[in-house]
Amino acid sequence: MSQFFFTLTNPESEPLLKKELSIGYPNFKLSYSRPGFLTFKGPDGGTFAPWMCRLSGTCLGKKTVEELNSLPKAWLWKRLESFNPPPELVFLSDKSLFKIGEKVTLIMMVGENEYWLGEYIQKKTHFQTPGEVSSIEKKEVPSRAYYKIAEAFESFDLPMEANEKVLELGSAPGGASMFLLDQDLKVFGVDPAEMDKGVLSHFNFKHIKKPFETLNVGNFAEDIDWIISDVNLPPSVVIQEVDRFLSFLEPRGVVLTLKLHQDRYLRMLKPIVESYKQKGFTQVELKYLPSYRQEICLIALK
Ligand SMILES: C[S@@+](CC[C@H](N)C(=O)[O-])C[C@H]1O[C@@H](n2cnc3c(N)ncnc32)[C@H](O)[C@@H]1O
């Protein structure tokens, strides 16, 4: 017996998702797909939770509007913003709420007149939005990194507290710093590149205008509560550098955006998770965030 599964991902990471499936789910075969919506045929009862997608679950097939109208509750996700779903489906979605642990019924509007139905369990780290789209309000920010850290903050409910100190590796131009400063955190931004002027002049921001490899224990007079990074370097380099900082700093949490510009980096993820568990971090998780391209978020909390 076989079963179908769906994934919703950002089109930039589709090749990585396919690669992940070929490595981690060799018995699953790509079935119907459109950009951002991929279905797979797999063994019945198999666990299916790939990393490189915003959302995955059981696929119940293509449905007509009449079939969907009879659902007691369901969320509606549109593949393209320009799609015009019938008002009754919009109404059904708008009045539907799903609690953590509950099975979500998701209508996926894949084309103007094409609807697919899926199911998944609502997790604590899921957003309360159909299709796991970002719930962060758009505003003028120095970089996309603002949304990435804001989404990590919301999704993992990061226990960051006012006045805690954050070491940000690769902080320019300053999107992530802006978000952290908005949360009343103190930010030490390490980057040889220029910072956004508003971030630079913030009373809680200190720019360490150097490559992070040049820093050592002597640069830190104060304790650091969090290490975050979104540098454009291979995961092995980032992990090695963060490990070096962990040899003399004792943060309560680490939040890393790991760039997966090569397929082979996918194989590093499981060992990285294990290594953080061995370092004494009790919650270690990976999540593909809505604003991501070819990257993944690793959080490790003590
Ligand atoms: C994707 S950007 C970071 C975005 C930034 N976090 C933000 O919120 O706007 C990557 C940054 O990493 C920095 N970077 C690369 N190698 C570095 C190194 N060895 N030390 C410090 N920063 C580095 C680059 O200068 C670049 O500004």
Side-chain angles (χ1 to χ4, degrees), residues 143 145 168 170-176 190-193 211-213 230-233:
S143 66
E168 192 193 349
S171 56
V190 186
D191 202 312
F212 47 69
E213 303 88 308
D230 179 15
V231 280
N232 260 325
L233 293 169

Side-chain angles (χ1 to χ4, degrees), residues 75-142:
W75 270 343
L76 171 70
W77 166 79
K78 299 190 290 181
R79 192 173 64 82
L80 296 179
E81 211 31 65
S82 56
F83 288 164
N84 264 314
E88 57 268 38
L89 292 189
V90 177
F91 178 71
L92 176 70
S93 183
D94 286 352
K95 74 173 176 61
S96 296
L97 282 177
F98 292 95
K99 297 194 199 99
I100 293 160
E102 197 177 343
K103 191 181 274 180
V104 177
T105 306
L106 182 68
I107 301 167
M108 293 166 283
M109 187 177 185
V110 171
E112 266 302 354
N113 282 305
E114 184 182 346
Y115 300 90
W116 290 71
L117 196 61
E119 283 178 347
Y120 65 95
I121 301 295
Q122 179 74 0
K123 287 199 235 150
K124 206 166 160 238
T125 53
H126 278 143
F127 294 93
Q128 291 287 334
T129 58
E132 281 284 284
V133 295
S134 184
S135 55
I136 311 298
E137 214 179 296
K138 293 275 179 277
K139 60 182 219 171
E140 205 174 304
V141 291

Side-chain angles (χ1 to χ4, degrees), residues 128-185:
Q128 291 287 334
T129 58
E132 281 284 284
V133 295
S134 184
S135 55
I136 311 298
E137 214 179 296
K138 293 275 179 277
K139 60 182 219 171
E140 205 174 304
V141 291
S143 66
R144 185 170 57 96
Y146 175 96
Y147 299 105
K148 298 197 234 174
I149 190 70
E151 287 163 3
F153 187 82
E154 181 171 325
S155 165
F156 292 109
D157 198 11
L158 293 175
M160 291 175 157
E161 283 167 25
N163 292 318
E164 282 192 324
K165 298 175 202 85
V166 183
L167 174 67
E168 192 193 349
L169 307 176
S171 56
S177 295
M178 181 189 255
F179 177 81
L180 297 166
L181 293 167
D182 285 350
Q183 313 312 307
D184 291 329
L185 291 148

